[in-house]
Amino acid sequence: MSSQRVAVVTGGNRGIGLEVSRQLAAKGLKVVLTARDGDRAKQAAAGLQGDVVPFALDVTDPQAPARLLELGVVDVLVNNAGVFIDRDYGGLNLPMEVLRDTLEVNLIGPWQLAEAVAPGMRQRGYGRIVNVSSGLGPMSEMSGGDPAYRVSKSSLNALTRIFADELRGTNVLVNAVCPGWVQTDMGGPRAPVPVTQGADTIVWLATLPDGGPTGSFFRDRRQIPW
Ligand code: NAP
């Protein structure tokens, strides 16, 4: 039996997800690089070295959990795919379709995928789930603006605590991470953090040793408040 760990990365075709895929493959994991567009997944996977397999996966697709399970064993799930589509709004004028679209990608997608892979991880006694959150998510810093994005990431943080608690003692470690303000399409041209650094803590959490932390929130490999 192969001892090579299998990692699924969502939104792996560009930005932080692409870099996480690159770093995990360089560490010797088999990476299933997923993207909502199958051709983009293929193109991105072809540009990486190591054991990288492209896979079409829209995290909002109700069939996504079943499709993920077709892969067989999943040891690591990186819930990275995300949208930030409410920059022009406040909580008082947010169109509800923007809220729904945001929650579908940033909360319900990660939830349904984690729910799909957790039973197998628990059964095999190994799993790492990394939820890519944001500095706009913590309740300790909650303020106005970007309301759908903030609520989605705050909820993703809550999801992290719930899953970590329900899986405690099973060697399935579930954590959230703020990558910083990262130089990607989402981060924009003024972002100070290179994508290699933005991916680092995610990869660290995805490859934690047994007995590592669970149910916590990290930035730059250090725990931060919720
Ligand atoms: P990005 O460059 O905009 O990339 C977003 C990725 O998510 C793309 O691959 C995109 O695919 C994918 N995606 C969007 N909707 C999807 C869906 N329905 N199904 C599957 N994939 C979907 O953003 P990024 O900066 O790399 O962000 C990655 C994660 O980090 C996000 O969760 C984001 O909230 C978080 N984050 C980023 C920053 C930052 O400063 N960049 C800061 C804090 C947190 P397409 O190419 O098909 O659109």
Side-chain angles (χ1 to χ4, degrees), residues 10-18 34-37 40 57-61 79-84 105-106 132-136 149 153 156 177-188 191 195 202:
T10 66
N13 55 300
R14 61 187 168 101
I16 294 169
L18 178 60
T34 76
R36 57 180 157 175
D37 180 301
R40 285 190 201 156
L57 194 82
D58 183 329
V59 301
T60 67
D61 181 356
N79 275 320
N80 163 79
V83 292
F84 190 170
V105 180
N106 294 6
V132 181
S133 182
S134 162
L136 298 180
Y149 187 77
K153 294 301 188 179
L156 185 63
V177 52
C178 166
W181 185 13
V182 184
Q183 291 160 1
T184 63
D185 294 341
M186 185 185 290
V195 75
I202 299 169

Side-chain angles (χ1 to χ4, degrees), residues 1-20:
M1 206 176 90
S2 165
S3 60
Q4 188 187 28
R5 297 290 184 199
V6 178
V8 171
V9 180
T10 66
N13 55 300
R14 61 187 168 101
I16 294 169
L18 178 60
E19 180 58 24
V20 167

Side-chain angles (χ1 to χ4, degrees), residues 92-123:
L92 296 173
N93 67 354
L94 182 71
M96 287 297 108
E97 66 265 28
V98 175
L99 177 60
R100 285 196 188 92
D101 289 351
T102 302
L103 293 178
E104 281 287 347
V105 180
N106 294 6
L107 176 65
I108 298 173
W111 196 320
Q112 65 171 358
L113 297 183
E115 196 176 75
V117 298
M121 290 176 168
R122 174 162 37 197
Q123 198 180 10

Side-chain angles (χ1 to χ4, degrees), residues 138-216:
M139 290 303 293
S140 51
E141 294 178 29
M142 195 54 63
S143 65
D146 311 317
Y149 187 77
R150 283 183 185 279
V151 166
S152 73
K153 294 301 188 179
S154 177
S155 303
L156 185 63
N157 288 355
L159 172 70
T160 303
R161 292 285 293 265
I162 292 165
F163 270 63
D165 191 54
E166 294 185 7
L167 291 163
R168 202 168 294 279
T170 65
N171 197 26
V172 180
L173 307 178
V174 188
N175 292 288
V177 52
C178 166
W181 185 13
V182 184
Q183 291 160 1
T184 63
D185 294 341
M186 185 185 290
R190 290 170 44 234
V193 178
V195 75
T196 45
Q197 189 185 329
D200 173 76
T201 303
I202 299 169
V203 170
W204 173 68
L205 290 170
T207 55
L208 283 174
D210 295 353
T214 189
S216 291

